[in-house]
Amino acid sequence: DAGITQSPRYKITETGRQVTLMCHQTWSHSYMFWYRQDLGHGLRLIYYSAAADITDKGEVPDGYVVSRSKTENFPLTLESATRSQTSVYFCASAGTATYEQYFGPGTRLTVT
Amino acid sequence: QQQVKQSPQSLIVQKGGISIINCAYENTAFDYFPWYQQFPGKGPALLIAIRPDVSEKKEGRFTISFNKSAKQFSLHIMDSQPGDSATYFCAASSRSTNSGYALNFGKGTSLLVTP
């Protein structure tokens, strides 16, 4: 029972490079979310998805792209990484029965 | 603009004491208020949640108190233990938006329970 997993757990990349963070859930939850966590800001929503092929922007979407071709996967791509995108990224999922959100273990991304 | 304001930023409580963390919100459309607990290096874990049709919810040593008229809610940890030392986040979401209850988080409270 893996639940929700993220990969990689740690990533160092250079400014301007493209990087993709992966998220996979085994619950068949309809909803998936990407948040970033920064000191002094708490967690902020980047993008969310209500179902396969349905995505929408959250509070801080600039510089990020998402896709959801399969219900269980929700990758987050930084098309041209900037230092301001250094953060810890959390993926979460929720079913429509309770809407309770369950979080993955996070990816710590450093952009040099 | 922070939609959920959380205080205090940090809290030190002696073992056996009561830890109290407060949150306030402005958006009256919010109708789901969860609390998350996060240990270093881990993802946030759902601790307890409340909806505005009740004023209090208790699960073990954890209690949420909700005041709809004041637009405030709080987490009480009774008989606090060193293992409760973690960062706690309050959050709020609205069923009226088609966002699957996307959460608006407070900035977090770092709780330290001393032996």
Side-chain angles (χ1 to χ4, degrees):
Chain A
D1 185 356
I4 183 165
T5 57
Q6 294 184 234
S7 61
R9 294 295 315 280
Y10 303 91
K11 177 75 176 178
I12 299 174
T13 191
E14 295 177 342
T15 300
R17 289 193 179 269
Q18 182 181 82
V19 59
T20 296
L21 310 184
M22 304 301 294
C23 179
H24 176 79
Q25 52 103 356
T26 60
W27 294 308
S28 299
H29 282 167
S30 296
Y31 286 91
M32 296 187 75
F33 308 84
W34 275 106
Y35 295 88
R36 60 178 288 174
Q37 184 174 32
D38 304 287
L39 205 62
H41 289 280
L43 291 103
R44 293 179 291 174
L45 181 67
I46 304 171
Y47 269 95
Y48 68 93
S49 170
D53 298 322
I54 300 175
T55 63
D56 207 347
K57 297 177 180 179
E59 180 186 355
V60 289
D62 293 345
Y64 303 95
V65 174
V66 294
S67 62
R68 194 166 176 209
S69 57
K70 293 184 178 181
T71 299
E72 61 267 30
N73 297 324
F74 191 37
L76 176 73
T77 298
L78 288 68
E79 293 192 303
S80 178
T82 66
R83 290 195 181 89
S84 65
Q85 292 177 310
T86 292
S87 186
V88 181
Y89 292 85
F90 288 101
C91 178
S93 71
T96 54
T98 65
Y99 291 96
E100 294 175 349
Q101 285 191 33
Y102 297 92
F103 283 75
T107 294
R108 181 174 293 276
L109 176 68
T110 301
V111 182
T112 62
Chain B
Q1 182 181 352
Q2 194 82 19
Q3 295 206 51
V4 179
K5 296 183 178 179
Q6 183 172 348
S7 63
Q9 187 174 352
S10 62
L11 182 62
I12 300 175
V13 173
Q14 282 194 327
K15 179 181 176 181
I18 302 173
S19 304
I20 302 174
I21 305 171
N22 301 299
C23 285
Y25 64 96
E26 288 297 325
N27 188 345
T28 55
F30 287 151
D31 58 5
Y32 174 67
F33 303 90
W35 285 88
Y36 282 81
Q37 179 188 56
Q38 185 180 30
F39 293 103
K42 304 292 186 182
L46 180 63
L47 190 61
I48 187 173
I50 197 168
R51 298 192 187 276
D53 51 342
V54 297
S55 60
E56 185 175 283
K57 183 174 181 180
K58 183 176 181 180
E59 289 184 2
R61 297 184 293 109
F62 300 90
T63 300
I64 299 179
S65 296
F66 184 79
N67 185 330
K68 188 174 181 179
S69 61
K71 293 183 285 186
Q72 295 175 346
F73 59 110
S74 60
L75 176 70
H76 295 234
I77 306 175
M78 312 300 287
D79 186 26
S80 298
Q81 299 297 312
D84 296 331
S85 297
T87 300
Y88 292 81
F89 292 94
C90 62
S93 65
S94 169
R95 183 175 7 197
S96 62
T97 61
N98 188 28
S99 62
Y101 279 74
L103 294 168
N104 298 274
F105 282 90
K107 292 187 177 183
T109 297
S110 178
L111 171 66
L112 176 65
V113 181
T114 59

